[in-house]
Amino acid sequence: MTNPLLDAADLPPFDRIRPEHVEPALDRVLEENLALLETVAAAPAAWDAVVTPLEEAGDRLARVWSPVRHLHAVADSEPLRRVYEAALPKLTDYGNRFGQHRGLYDAYRRLAEAPDFEEAEPARRAAVEHALRDFRLSGIDLAPAAQARYREISQRLSELGNRFSQNLLDATDAWSATVAPERLAGLPESVRERALEEGRKQGADGAVIGLDGPTYLAVMTHADDRALRHEVYEAWTTRASDRGPHAGRWDNTPLIEEILALRHEQAQLLGYGSWAERQLEGRMAGSPDEVLAFLRDLAARSRPRAEQEFAELEAWAREMLGLDVLEAWDVAWAGERLRRERYAVSQETLRPYFPVDRVLEGMFEIARRLFDVRVERASGWPVWHEDVRAFEIRRGDELVGRFYLDLYARRHKRGGAWMDGCIGRRRTGDGVQVPVAFLTCNFAGPVGDRPALLTHDEVTTLFHEFGHGLHHMLTRVDVADVAGINGVPWDAVELPSQFLENWCWQAEAIPLISGHWETGEPLPAELLERLLAARNFQSAMGMVRQLEFGLFDFRLHHEYDPERGGRVQELLDAVRDEVAVVRPPVFNRFQNGFGHIFSGGYAAGYYSYKWAEVLSADAFARFEETGIFDAQTGAAFLEHVLERGGSEPPEVLFRRFRGRDPDVSALLRHSGIEDDAGVAA
């Protein structure tokens, strides 16, 4: 029987992949790759004898595992979950055997010591230097007993991260509430219709709501029923914890403690004082003190304005809404009411003007104007769900990238939005391998004859993920390990994504991405003015919320003490004392759903969002100077940032584009926190 995961197909055959295919395909590729390691280790110190075959081996493995990993995130099932869990130890073992292979390490070291190494192209030098760093971070220099312990920890961390993610997904999917239709007052019509339809499907006596992201945000922002907001807020903020409606059933608390302990132990095995120190290897930030100073400086600049914004909201809610105490489940709802009163605009007012097809058409036109690329719909690709779309990116007649677009929330799909690589760019004997990306969001889908309509916030999310995708797909680097997002320091990888968000706020760009879904009428000038005027509404409150996440993550990993344990709630409370203006109730277990740091790649790295936002705001400031569609400036960003991938340090690439080091003032100005003179506004 042919295994579709082992087909040499151009794209993954998603229509034929079944859980039973995973283990035999993975076992075969891992066996072949492990045999290859021995051959490469004995090879002469030449690029084509060492790096090229390892690139091919990595590509073979990615073509098996990438579609499986993706299906696990977007189409989870019990059979797939079982084979996925069984595969993780094998992959971790392979990674450890690679990273602790003395022969491979020596082969790379010989490449670096070759007389002509300094004259090699930057991408090749970077790939070798990164590999030597990664060997060290994999424990290549440890004694045998310490190497064995390192491997044990890696295996356990892989298992714990997966369990954390599964607990969160299960807890999210498990909760629902049947409510009387009148309790849905204030919710957008599309949300009410979906809830009523779900109630009919289930034969329930009323509407049924769940905890998918679009529904949760709609309830928090628009539901007039305060008790309903409270109920949904508590269900959301206690997912996978010891509190709430499913208390203890999928509790991530013990997993968090074990994850923190094992990360700390592994960091110390490698000679670092903390996991945070270990994570900063190869990043733009040079030390934990630099990260903490950066976050606290932004907090000091932002918190006075955030306190003022919250005090205004409390006073307005007390006077106009009769809320003597503004609870956590009231903040978004009251804020939306104040936004509507102050600016006569809301996300729901805007939604009819952002039908998804119009947004996509405009977003692709913006990419064309900036980077001289053409995005076209593709057909005939095997996909995992009928909602998935396929696209190709061309520069002239050249195919430079391809991507899948999966926009809508559904059961058994992980929440949030992300970009992931499916196939990476590299040079082969047949030419250049075209990169392929997965772009995934969780928006509300079409209802009846009405297309999916996006809020402006969701439009911004889509641009963000497309920015990541362009970074992956527009690379011109032919060395796999540093092509696209590969090899880019974690605290710079958000630069292209946050950079592209800026076009969602430009008066010249919004007409390209908007048009009423029924009439095609452009966003009225008056509504556009209100949208732009409201851009920085409660922006300081949003800033300190992100700084809360970043400080909590970094302190959690930098201040870990084995004798005292994680002190998770204690540290979170201390960070909130330092920067927060909205204090959640005691039952809130935000940390138990913080997948970015416990099951994603952001451990001791959540600060990267703000770090990269300094870069992205300052990069966009050049477009403000030359014109937001200035072709020369767009070509420069393409050349110095998007095309170069991880082949050179991001600070070098940024200086080439901007002509100087980054300046935080653009971020503060865009956020409305300080004016051009640096004086608090």
Side-chain angles (χ1 to χ4, degrees):
M1 179 185 298
T2 301
N3 190 320
L5 285 170
L6 294 173
D7 283 354
D10 190 33
L11 291 165
F14 284 109
D15 56 337
R16 295 189 289 123
I17 296 172
R18 302 290 181 268
E20 58 267 25
H21 297 137
V22 175
E23 184 176 14
L26 185 64
D27 287 349
R28 176 173 162 182
V29 171
L30 290 179
E31 181 181 0
E32 291 174 351
N33 283 7
L34 286 170
L36 177 70
L37 300 188
E38 303 306 321
T39 302
V40 171
W47 181 268
D48 288 338
V50 176
V51 181
T52 298
L54 292 178
E55 277 192 351
E56 293 170 353
D59 189 72
R60 283 196 301 272
L61 179 56
R63 285 177 179 270
V64 169
W65 187 243
S66 175
V68 174
R69 182 181 65 224
H70 186 68
L71 287 172
H72 180 251
V74 299
D76 190 32
S77 68
E78 281 300 325
L80 180 60
R81 182 177 291 193
R82 285 194 295 270
V83 297
Y84 184 89
E85 290 176 346
L88 289 178
K90 299 177 182 180
L91 287 162
T92 304
D93 178 66
Y94 173 74
N96 284 331
R97 291 173 71 175
F98 188 110
Q100 294 183 354
H101 196 296
R102 174 60 62 174
L104 287 181
Y105 172 70
D106 288 341
Y108 271 94
R109 193 166 45 80
R110 289 193 297 271
L111 286 175
E113 293 171 353
D116 59 349
F117 179 71
E118 291 303 320
E119 284 71 48
E121 63 172 296
R124 290 193 172 192
R125 289 202 310 272
V128 172
E129 290 165 355
H130 292 183
L132 291 172
R133 177 198 65 205
D134 292 343
F135 277 115
R136 183 168 53 81
L137 293 178
S138 297
I140 192 69
D141 294 325
L142 299 179
Q147 283 189 338
R149 179 56 183 158
Y150 180 100
R151 293 192 297 271
E152 290 173 4
I153 293 173
S154 296
Q155 288 281 13
R156 182 60 176 161
L157 284 173
S158 175
E159 176 188 345
L160 291 169
N162 184 54
R163 283 178 54 196
F164 184 101
S165 181
Q166 290 182 352
N167 283 349
L168 187 58
L169 177 62
D170 288 345
T172 302
D173 284 349
W175 188 90
S176 66
T178 302
V179 300
E182 57 268 24
R183 296 190 68 195
L184 302 180
L187 288 174
E189 181 181 354
S190 60
V191 178
R192 293 199 305 271
E193 289 180 4
R194 282 198 306 275
L196 290 167
E197 176 62 24
E198 188 62 31
R200 287 190 290 269
K201 285 181 181 177
Q202 296 186 21
D205 185 20
V208 174
I209 59 173
L211 280 185
D212 59 276
T215 298
Y216 170 73
L217 290 173
V219 172
M220 289 299 99
T221 309
H222 301 291
D224 293 333
D225 188 322
R226 193 184 195 193
L228 179 62
R229 295 199 307 271
H230 184 180
E231 182 180 1
V232 173
Y233 174 88
E234 183 170 2
W236 179 270
T237 61
T238 58
R239 291 175 301 159
S241 79
D242 60 338
R243 298 291 187 99
H246 292 114
R249 186 169 177 189
W250 294 285
D251 190 3
N252 275 334
T253 304
L255 275 63
I256 291 172
E257 284 292 337
E258 189 174 357
I259 287 169
L260 292 171
L262 291 175
R263 285 174 176 169
H264 183 78
E265 182 184 353
Q266 194 172 70
Q268 292 210 311
L269 279 174
L270 296 172
Y272 297 99
S274 70
W275 184 258
E277 288 184 13
R278 183 255 184 235
Q279 291 293 83
L280 290 182
E281 279 287 347
R283 294 189 180 176
M284 292 183 72
S287 70
D289 287 344
E290 185 177 358
V291 173
L292 292 169
F294 167 74
L295 294 172
R296 285 173 167 145
D297 176 63
L298 276 182
R301 295 170 185 260
S302 307
R303 191 177 184 190
R305 171 60 70 85
E307 290 172 335
Q308 178 185 344
E309 290 173 350
F310 189 59
E312 290 174 352
L313 182 62
E314 285 184 307
W316 186 83
R318 190 163 46 247
E319 178 182 354
M320 304 302 295
L321 304 176
L323 295 177
D324 291 333
V325 178
L326 198 62
E327 302 286 2
W329 49 89
D330 299 323
V331 172
W333 178 76
E336 183 65 12
R337 299 280 290 258
L338 177 56
R339 184 205 305 266
R340 291 205 302 260
E341 178 181 278
R342 185 173 292 178
Y343 300 103
V345 68
S346 72
Q347 292 293 323
E348 292 308 311
T349 305
L350 297 166
R351 193 189 288 271
Y353 292 94
F354 293 107
V356 67
D357 287 344
R358 176 67 173 173
V359 174
L360 290 173
E361 178 186 334
M363 184 172 71
F364 299 156
E365 171 62 15
I366 289 169
R368 185 193 68 80
R369 295 188 186 188
L370 291 176
F371 309 126
D372 192 27
V373 295
R374 189 173 71 255
V375 183
E376 300 174 340
R377 187 77 180 262
S379 61
W381 296 18
V383 295
W384 55 92
H385 191 275
E386 60 185 6
D387 289 338
V388 177
R389 311 185 193 195
F391 295 90
E392 296 180 338
I393 303 181
R394 296 181 182 275
R395 182 180 289 116
D397 294 330
E398 180 189 7
L399 177 65
V400 296
R402 298 182 287 184
F403 64 97
Y404 300 88
L405 188 63
D406 185 355
L407 291 176
Y408 308 129
R410 57 182 178 267
R411 285 179 59 80
H412 309 304
K413 179 182 178 182
R414 177 161 59 90
W418 66 92
M419 190 285 295
D420 197 7
C422 174
I423 297 172
R425 178 179 168 111
R426 67 187 184 93
R427 184 164 292 281
T428 72
D430 299 324
V432 173
Q433 180 169 281
V434 175
V436 183
F438 298 117
L439 271 61
T440 309
C441 298
N442 272 278
F443 305 143
V447 177
D449 294 332
R450 186 172 57 221
L453 304 175
L454 306 185
T455 66
H456 187 261
D457 285 346
E458 289 171 337
V459 172
T460 305
T461 296
L462 180 58
F463 270 68
H464 181 102
E465 301 310 330
F466 189 52
H468 279 309
L470 292 177
H471 201 188
H472 176 72
M473 293 181 284
L474 298 188
T475 184
R476 287 293 193 182
V477 176
D478 293 338
V479 179
D481 286 344
V482 290
I485 62 171
N486 293 334
V488 177
W490 203 264
D491 45 13
V493 80
E494 296 293 335
L495 164 57
S497 54
Q498 293 175 332
F499 165 81
L500 201 64
E501 291 181 28
N502 286 285
W503 273 263
C504 300
W505 293 100
Q506 303 307 306
E508 294 174 62
I510 288 176
L512 298 174
I513 59 175
S514 64
H516 196 280
W517 72 276
E518 290 179 300
T519 67
E521 173 194 358
L523 190 68
E526 183 181 5
L527 198 51
L528 172 59
E529 290 175 6
R530 294 173 190 165
L531 168 63
L532 298 179
R535 176 179 184 177
N536 290 322
F537 177 70
Q538 295 184 345
S539 62
M541 288 174 61
M543 175 79 81
V544 297
R545 181 72 167 140
Q546 287 296 304
L547 294 172
E548 174 188 325
F549 297 164
L551 273 169
F552 167 63
D553 162 47
F554 204 80
R555 290 188 60 186
L556 195 65
H557 287 96
H558 186 49
E559 300 176 19
Y560 183 82
D561 181 347
E563 294 185 1
R564 302 175 65 189
R567 299 176 293 132
V568 178
Q569 192 64 52
E570 176 187 332
L571 273 174
L572 183 53
D573 290 341
V575 168
R576 286 171 173 161
D577 287 341
E578 183 178 357
V579 301
V581 296
V582 178
R583 294 304 296 260
V586 293
F587 63 72
N588 181 294
R589 290 294 183 268
F590 155 76
Q591 61 269 31
N592 287 54
F594 200 3
H596 276 77
I597 69 170
F598 293 119
S599 59
Y602 282 85
Y606 199 87
Y607 77 90
S608 301
Y609 280 105
K610 282 302 169 191
W611 186 280
E613 197 173 355
V614 171
L615 305 177
S616 67
D618 200 12
F620 181 70
R622 178 173 167 183
F623 285 85
E624 292 178 307
E625 297 161 6
T626 62
I628 69 161
F629 289 121
D630 181 71
Q632 185 176 354
T633 309
F637 189 82
L638 174 68
E639 177 187 359
H640 297 307
V641 179
L642 296 179
E643 291 185 345
R644 300 313 306 153
S647 63
E648 295 182 81
E651 57 269 28
V652 172
L653 299 176
F654 184 91
R655 279 195 295 269
R656 284 193 198 139
F657 171 71
R658 200 66 177 96
R660 55 168 173 74
D661 289 333
D663 186 342
V664 73
S665 62
L667 171 61
L668 296 170
R669 175 168 53 83
H670 290 167
S671 302
I673 293 173
E674 290 191 356
D675 63 21
D676 291 332
V679 178

